[in-house]
Amino acid sequence: MRNTLSLLAPFAMLAACNSPQFHSGDPLREQVVNVYSHRHYESDQQIFDAFTKKTGIHVNLVMADDDEILTRMQQEGANSPCDLLMTADAGRLGLAKVRDLLQPIRDSLLEAVIPAHLRDPDGNWFGLTMRARVFAYDKRTVDPSHLRTYADLTKPEWKGQVLVRTSEHVYNQSLLAAMIAHEGPDSALVWASGIVANLAREPKGSDTDQLLAIGEGIGSVAIVNSYYIGKLMKNTDPARDQARAVIGVAFPDLDGHGTHVNISGAGVARYAKHKAEAIALLEYLVSDSAQALFAEGNEEYPVRADVPIARELAAFGTLTPDTLNLQALATYNAEAVKLFDASGWH
Ligand SMILES: [Fe+2]
């Protein structure tokens, strides 16, 4: 008898969890989704507010940096309140998958509108917007025909000209991880060392700081994410006039594969208590209106081909994105960090 009871107990608990007052759509149920996010953009709140207005599902947002969020989810384990993890880098989402912090989702809408290379093949994470890691250059001095590939920037003609943030930042780690995936570690190390040899100054600051440094004439080419240039072009701060006036954009090619892109994306947490709401939010984030807000509000490339890109981005030229599956950015992240160390790019 005791045995029967102990066997039944877990089912009883399951039954309690599925009792009618917890069913989605029931007026007694509090409709919420808890989002852990590393995205640092004002436009996101607007998108969440529109989602709440449309669905009645309230979005509780916890913001922290990527590593903090993953550590926190790990420490919370099965008690984690996180339903949806959002980050501004596929490498971190891939790492969350490897650490078993996410769960696979099959969703025909998400699979139909998000290109396959921008989502996890197992459905643990989905890309919502793209950003390209491009070259910003000084139009006063640079001929962009000399900047056709990432490798071009390692040529001696750029000695003392290159601006970039530190290798501690995941945007650079993901770029190098993509190079490792395509060309192998030896080529990736040659590239990183070549950039170090051409630096205008010690790597420091944000992507925006590199753009402002071009305006000041500190260097003539910067490696930056596309949306920072779009935002600079939209910015009306007179202190940024100089940078705005002189910057042009080149889309470098990576070994014949196109320009390195990364994503902002999201995945349903392994222990999500509001899974249906998390999926509803994911689906909303690829809707026309949310994609348009990502594009206009944050100068990101929509993952949906049928949503227009912002005017500022369109003016830069045409992006041909690398179609490497971005789970590779997690696969090669640790190796990229090691190669940066070896190259002297700190
Ligand atoms: Fe960023």
Side-chain angles (χ1 to χ4, degrees):
M1 198 56 193
R2 191 180 287 163
N3 278 345
T4 313
L5 269 178
S6 64
L7 273 173
L8 280 175
F11 293 100
M13 281 175 66
L14 271 180
C17 291
N18 287 324
S19 63
Q21 72 263 35
F22 289 102
H23 278 166
S24 180
D26 188 299
L28 291 177
R29 180 192 165 107
E30 192 193 6
Q31 294 230 299
V32 297
V33 56
N34 297 318
V35 177
Y36 283 15
S37 177
H38 168 244
R39 280 176 53 91
H40 49 97
Y41 320 118
E42 284 164 20
S43 49
D44 285 15
Q45 194 53 54
Q46 243 182 304
I47 297 175
F48 293 145
D49 290 346
F51 170 71
T52 302
K53 203 171 163 195
K54 186 167 184 228
T55 63
I57 301 169
H58 185 74
V59 179
N60 291 324
L61 187 61
V62 172
M63 288 176 73
D65 84 33
D66 278 332
D67 290 321
E68 257 175 56
I69 287 182
L70 298 194
T71 307
R72 180 168 171 169
M73 286 176 78
Q74 246 166 336
Q75 286 167 347
E76 290 168 340
N79 295 321
S80 176
C82 177
D83 297 309
L84 192 73
L85 169 68
M86 285 182 82
T87 85
D89 173 75
R92 285 291 179 270
L93 285 169
L95 210 57
K97 175 191 175 185
V98 170
R99 294 184 189 169
D100 206 21
L101 299 173
L102 301 174
Q103 60 174 294
I105 298 296
R106 295 307 307 266
D107 184 286
S108 52
L109 172 71
L110 296 175
E111 288 167 18
V113 301
I114 304 172
H117 69 106
L118 302 176
R119 52 185 163 83
D120 173 38
D122 303 320
N124 285 267
W125 53 262
F126 298 87
L128 304 169
T129 69
M130 267 190 301
R131 55 276 303 283
R133 199 132 182 86
V134 299
F135 295 158
Y137 63 84
D138 188 335
K139 290 191 286 194
R140 294 170 294 193
T141 55
V142 169
D143 173 356
S145 72
H146 291 216
L147 292 173
R148 293 225 161 96
T149 70
Y150 289 96
D152 279 347
L153 203 54
T154 63
K155 291 181 178 166
E157 66 179 291
W158 302 110
K159 196 160 186 62
Q161 295 303 317
V162 177
L163 295 155
V164 69
R165 71 197 308 169
T166 73
S167 67
E168 277 171 23
H169 201 280
V170 75
Y171 296 155
N172 285 333
Q173 293 169 8
S174 286
L175 171 59
L176 201 64
M179 286 184 186
I180 297 169
H182 282 308
E183 307 181 280
D186 295 345
S187 292
L189 177 58
V190 167
W191 183 78
S193 305
I195 294 297
V196 171
N198 285 344
L199 287 173
R201 63 178 183 189
E202 278 288 294
K204 64 174 180 179
S206 65
D207 279 5
T208 299
D209 291 331
Q210 316 313 319
L211 298 174
L212 299 178
I214 291 179
E216 293 165 33
I218 295 170
S220 63
V221 187
I223 306 170
V224 293
N225 276 1
S226 46
Y227 60 92
Y228 291 109
I229 316 175
K231 285 178 163 185
L232 175 72
M233 295 306 170
K234 250 167 99 169
N235 192 298
T236 51
D237 179 357
R240 299 185 172 194
D241 279 351
Q242 179 70 356
R244 203 164 25 248
V246 304
I247 281 175
V249 182
F251 291 89
D253 176 77
L254 176 50
D255 197 34
H257 298 279
T259 300
H260 168 66
V261 291
N262 205 328
I263 52 156
S264 262
V268 177
R270 168 94 170 77
Y271 298 107
K273 314 293 185 292
H274 307 95
K275 182 174 168 181
E277 289 85 348
I279 293 172
L281 178 53
L282 266 178
E283 290 185 345
Y284 181 76
L285 293 173
V286 295
S287 66
D288 287 5
S289 51
Q291 289 281 297
L293 274 169
F294 281 132
E296 290 299 326
N298 203 44
E299 299 283 323
E300 294 178 85
Y301 290 94
V303 288
R304 285 180 66 141
D306 56 343
V307 174
I309 62 174
R311 193 160 28 93
E312 295 77 18
L313 284 194
F316 299 160
T318 306
L319 167 68
T320 305
D322 182 2
T323 56
L324 174 74
N325 187 280
L326 296 186
Q327 183 65 34
L329 306 188
T331 306
Y332 297 109
N333 178 270
E335 198 168 2
V337 171
K338 265 190 222 154
L339 293 182
F340 271 135
D341 269 354
S343 73
W345 181 338
H346 301 300

